[in-house]
């Protein structure tokens, strides 16, 4: 399955959840998915939390 197909399926499922259970539940599902995705990226070492904190601090100093 390509990334485009996977993205389409995820988008369709979010829209279906929004239609069936409402906006709040769909937004919660998206937020939970993003938190899970970030957690896996951190665990795999693909995302450096300290590096993100440095970027945020650098943008505040400008």
């Amino acid at each position: 399955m390509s990334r485009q197909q996977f993205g389409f399926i995820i988008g369709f499922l979010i829209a279906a959840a929004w239609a069936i259970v409402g906006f709040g539940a769909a937004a919660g599902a998206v937020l939970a998915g993003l938190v899970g995705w970030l957690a896996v990226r951190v665990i795999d070492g693909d995302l450096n939390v300290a590096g993100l904190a440095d970027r945020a601090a650098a943008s505040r100093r400008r």
Side-chain angles (χ1 to χ4, degrees):
M1 178 182 295
S2 71
R3 288 183 181 199
Q4 289 83 9
Q5 290 170 328
F6 185 72
F8 173 80
I9 290 171
I10 295 300
F12 179 80
L13 291 175
I14 291 169
W18 186 351
I20 294 170
V21 295
F23 177 76
V30 170
L31 182 62
L34 287 174
V35 168
W37 178 78
L38 283 173
V40 170
R41 296 285 305 242
V42 169
I43 290 169
D44 286 345
D46 294 336
L47 187 65
N48 186 353
V49 177
L52 290 177
D54 290 342
R55 282 188 194 175
S59 66
R60 288 185 197 144
R61 284 185 238 143
R62 291 182 193 172

